[in-house]
Amino acid sequence: MKPSLFFLGHDGRTPWVKEALQGMGYSITESPHCGCIVLPMPAFDKTGHILNGPAVSDFLQLLEPGMTVLGGKLQPFSPPPGITGYDLLTDELLTCQNAAITAEGALELAMPLLSVTLDGCPVLVTGWGRIGKLLSQKLAALGAHVTVAARKKKDLAMIQAYGFAPLSLENPASLSGFAAIFNTVPAPIFSSQQLLETDPSCILMELASSPGGFACDGSRAILQGSGLPGKTAPKTAGFCLAQAIDRYLSVKEEFPHGK
């Protein structure tokens, strides 16, 4: 018997998650007195509230022993005794699926803003994680001249092996030659002065979590690309999330003590 699920808070993918889970045999309840509470992705906004939902203090009052809480980036939530918390972003398949959707969504946002075609367009991707790799490949497939910036020598070597131009973040060159810069590094890497060196028409897109890689002092507009899976492809993202929820709950039911 699959548990009933109560959704608290929401984002663009939430309706599709519910629909997919119902198709898998789960029941969606409007009562918080159930076996499992599902929070959004990410679970909390910058104010500490549930994303598009109540304050954490109100959420904690809903919890009962034996409940399971699912969501993305569950910090600062610490499950009380008797409550099981599971961060869905520890699901490697879901993380990779979200990275692919984010990379595609970044292209969807950037292309209408470019004054030139991506074919032959010089672009910079910062970071060689999941999103950085997938985005670089998608850009190159569309004919863009891709430079990828990273810190580690092994990453720079792999970047070159992929056929991209490597750029060391330890000593970055001028940014003036790029038509678009996509950041995936969740830490400041470009100063305001460096950003002023870019062409006024250069698109600066932030794909990393806070604080991001661009020094934001208002001198340049930064296109915020956070939460793209729920914005640009909510149905696909919702189905992927539903599968991750089902994977976890199915294993939990089979091995209730986490063995």
Side-chain angles (χ1 to χ4, degrees):
M1 183 69 178
K2 294 188 175 181
S4 296
L5 307 177
F6 173 70
F7 281 73
L8 188 63
H10 63 88
D11 62 17
R13 78 196 88 185
T14 302
W16 303 106
V17 180
K18 292 180 178 180
E19 179 179 300
L21 287 169
Q22 286 174 319
M24 297 174 187
Y26 291 90
S27 60
I28 308 301
T29 179
E30 296 300 320
S31 171
H33 304 290
C34 65
C36 183
I37 295 180
V38 182
L39 304 181
M41 298 274 287
F44 305 100
D45 61 22
K46 293 181 180 180
T47 69
H49 284 62
I50 305 295
L51 185 66
N52 297 314
V56 173
S57 58
D58 295 330
F59 158 61
L60 292 175
Q61 294 180 11
L62 300 176
L63 299 180
E64 300 173 354
M67 277 186 172
T68 296
V69 176
L70 307 178
K73 296 184 179 179
L74 287 182
Q75 297 81 7
F77 169 67
S78 179
I83 305 297
T84 300
Y86 178 69
D87 189 338
L88 290 163
L89 288 179
T90 61
D91 184 300
E92 186 65 23
L93 176 55
L94 177 63
T95 302
C96 292
Q97 289 170 327
N98 278 340
I101 298 171
T102 297
E104 184 173 316
L107 294 180
E108 183 178 331
L109 289 185
M111 291 177 71
L113 301 177
L114 287 168
S115 58
V116 296
T117 62
L118 274 175
D119 188 15
C121 182
V123 299
L124 172 64
V125 177
T126 59
W128 191 238
R130 298 180 188 88
I131 297 175
K133 292 174 183 176
L134 291 165
L135 179 56
S136 298
Q137 292 172 345
K138 290 180 183 295
L139 286 164
L142 292 170
H145 295 167
V146 182
T147 298
V148 184
R151 282 194 170 87
K152 297 179 181 179
K153 290 183 178 180
K154 66 176 183 179
D155 288 342
L156 292 169
M158 186 59 69
I159 288 165
Q160 186 169 355
Y162 267 85
F164 308 132
L167 175 65
S168 174
L169 282 174
E170 299 298 335
N171 186 28
S174 171
L175 304 179
S176 61
F178 298 108
I181 300 175
F182 302 87
N183 177 62
T184 71
V185 180
I189 53 176
F190 294 127
S191 66
S192 297
Q193 182 58 42
Q194 287 175 302
L195 296 183
L196 288 174
E197 295 174 1
T198 62
D199 189 278
S201 64
C202 177
I203 296 171
L204 306 177
M205 184 178 296
E206 184 62 80
L207 297 172
S209 57
S210 183
F214 298 114
C216 188
D217 63 357
S219 58
R220 285 297 311 272
I222 310 297
L223 187 61
Q224 295 298 325
S226 60
L228 284 183
K231 296 174 182 176
T232 59
K235 183 174 183 179
T236 300
F239 182 71
C240 293
L241 179 54
Q243 288 181 312
I245 291 172
D246 181 57
R247 279 194 295 274
Y248 173 74
L249 292 178
S250 296
V251 171
K252 186 173 184 293
E253 184 177 352
E254 185 176 357
F255 302 104
H257 302 293
K259 295 181 180 179

